[in-house]
Amino acid sequence: MSKVISLRDVQDMVSHGQDVTHLPADAIITPSANDYLYELQMNGSAKAAAATPAAASGEKFSPPAKLLNSKSPKSELEAFFNSPYVHNLKEQICDMGHRLWQRAYVDGNGGNMSIRIGEDIVLCTPTLVSKGSLTPADMCLVDFEGNQLCGTKKRTSEVLMHLQMMKHQPQAKAVCHCHPPYATAFAAIGIAPPTCMLPEYEVFCAVAVAPYRTPGSAEMGEVVSKLTDQYNTILMANHGVVTWSHNSIEEAYWRMEILEAYCRTIVVAGQLGKPINTFTGPQMHDLLKTKKNLGFVDPRYGMKECELCDSGEWRPGAVGQTPQPAAPTASFDPEAEAAVKAITDQILARMK
Ligand SMILES: [Zn+2]
């Protein structure tokens, strides 16, 4: 049987300095492993990349020794904005944009992403461009107030929310916003999905609902940013979802996939006619231990085991009921009843 070579296998080989240019001819190489090999080829030889351990973590280009900020000279900012390091981050944003569009998590020109790349400077997507057709040349650089520093296209108006999140939550390195339909359905009813059903969701996401505010307004940024202390996945009522990551834009994107798959699964499970099994307190406690080790925020750290799965304004399988108007019924009137009986008796007596 042919050997399957995954992205992880190739990254392991690279990090151990092995030659990845001569893989077995009959090996099945997964699409992501293939993309990675192609990237290695594009960025010089695969052997040269193997010499750089950082290549394994996807950080093919190291960040600048000195972090720039919004007050740095314009020429330095421009050079940085056009450097291989930032170009690589622009490509990552484009890649996530294409995935968002292919999965129908964005519609029209909806959705936006950003990555903090200096003290108070942020790379972000432009306005009025579909995430399905993003290119690195579309990207913008803004300061923490939203003033555009570099890039030819105009930055998205919703970056103001991203910036407020980053200002409030120093850990937030990357932010992703989109409108995945199942998760947005929960946002439309203003309720966070019930918890304690699937492990990935518990480990990667900590979900809250923010009240509706006009998209792009300072008020929107304010209500969302306050939630970033304990939540990394925020449903914005009647709008969509925003996630953040302290690692990468890809991780912020993963939260979207995990949240959307979870919402879809529990909606389907709710139709199967059986109650859904949930985690026990100790099972949930274990998952939260893993989550903490990964450095993800969650409001449930430190809670008692018996409190961990006590969630749910809405349970899958719950049936919404429309109140039926009461059928018009004549109320019982003993006097009228007696009168009817008397008349009936008289009629019957005459018929005898
Ligand atoms: Zn939106």
Side-chain angles (χ1 to χ4, degrees):
M1 216 175 107
S2 308
K3 182 176 163 38
V4 177
I5 297 180
S6 68
L7 173 62
R8 186 68 183 270
D9 296 330
V10 178
Q11 288 178 332
D12 280 351
M13 290 172 77
V14 169
S15 66
H16 291 104
Q18 292 168 10
D19 182 6
V20 291
T21 53
H22 296 98
L23 298 173
D26 64 337
I28 298 168
I29 301 168
T30 64
S32 51
N34 227 341
D35 286 350
Y36 187 66
L37 287 167
Y38 177 73
E39 270 182 53
L40 290 178
Q41 238 175 6
M42 294 300 286
N43 297 313
S45 83
K47 279 183 194 163
T52 320
S57 64
E59 295 261 345
K60 289 189 297 299
F61 304 97
S62 42
K66 184 184 97 180
L67 277 187
L68 299 190
N69 61 46
S70 57
K71 302 282 175 299
S72 299
K74 177 94 178 125
S75 58
E76 279 185 32
L77 285 169
E78 276 292 342
F80 181 46
F81 183 67
N82 294 307
S83 67
Y85 171 71
V86 173
H87 185 78
N88 177 252
L89 297 176
K90 290 175 183 172
E91 284 184 331
Q92 288 181 27
I93 292 180
C94 294
D95 186 22
M96 296 312 119
H98 301 162
R99 291 203 223 170
L100 288 172
W101 186 85
Q102 278 161 354
R103 282 187 166 267
Y105 292 178
V106 285
D107 32 78
N109 65 309
N112 30 74
M113 284 169 282
S114 62
I115 303 176
R116 189 200 297 247
I117 57 171
E119 277 174 39
D120 61 350
I121 53 173
V122 172
L123 190 64
C124 73
T125 47
T127 187
L128 296 173
V129 175
S130 161
K131 301 304 145 314
S133 54
L134 273 183
T135 68
D138 294 329
M139 298 303 148
C140 314
L141 185 72
V142 294
D143 66 17
F144 261 13
E145 304 314 312
N147 301 310
Q148 188 146 350
L149 303 170
C150 301
T152 50
K153 293 230 163 111
K154 190 178 180 306
R155 52 93 172 148
T156 166
S157 61
E158 281 186 293
V159 78
L160 298 175
M161 173 177 75
H162 300 218
L163 298 169
Q164 274 172 280
M165 291 168 74
M166 287 176 180
K167 277 196 259 188
H168 184 89
Q169 172 52 273
Q171 295 265 14
K173 181 177 173 184
V175 174
C176 178
H177 161 59
C178 64
H179 313 141
Y182 283 80
T184 304
F186 278 91
I189 60 168
I191 287 177
T195 56
C196 296
M197 294 179 195
L198 297 173
E200 280 75 16
Y201 178 74
E202 296 304 337
V203 171
F204 277 89
C205 302
V207 181
V209 181
Y212 180 80
R213 298 287 186 275
T214 305
S217 67
E219 293 76 27
M220 184 77 257
E222 208 172 299
V223 291
V224 167
S225 60
K226 279 187 192 146
L227 291 165
T228 57
D229 292 332
Q230 294 187 307
Y231 302 93
N232 55 26
T233 304
I234 297 156
L235 301 181
M236 296 186 283
N238 299 89
H239 178 180
V241 187
V242 63
T243 59
W244 66 270
S245 161
H246 69 282
N247 288 315
S248 63
I249 189 65
E250 182 162 21
E251 190 180 86
Y253 165 80
W254 285 349
R255 297 214 152 91
M256 290 296 177
E257 276 193 4
I258 293 165
L259 167 74
E260 180 67 354
Y262 184 77
C263 291
R264 211 165 61 209
T265 304
I266 60 172
V267 166
V268 174
Q271 297 166 5
L272 298 180
K274 297 264 184 210
I276 300 176
N277 299 324
T278 52
F279 296 132
T280 61
Q283 286 171 335
M284 197 53 220
H285 182 80
D286 261 9
L287 291 173
L288 286 176
K289 223 161 47 184
T290 307
K291 186 174 205 169
K292 205 169 183 183
N293 286 338
L294 289 166
F296 300 156
V297 291
D298 195 289
R300 294 168 295 179
Y301 295 142
M303 276 189 185
K304 291 190 202 116
E305 283 184 357
C306 61
E307 298 167 333
L308 294 176
C309 290
D310 187 21
S311 80
E313 280 178 81
W314 177 88
R315 304 304 297 176
V319 178
Q321 283 190 342
T322 315
Q324 296 295 322
T329 51
S331 56
F332 180 75
D333 180 345
E335 272 180 40
E337 203 67 10
V340 170
K341 188 172 184 306
I343 294 166
T344 313
D345 288 348
Q346 278 177 25
I347 294 169
L348 286 173
R350 271 185 218 161
M351 285 168 72
K352 278 180 188 164

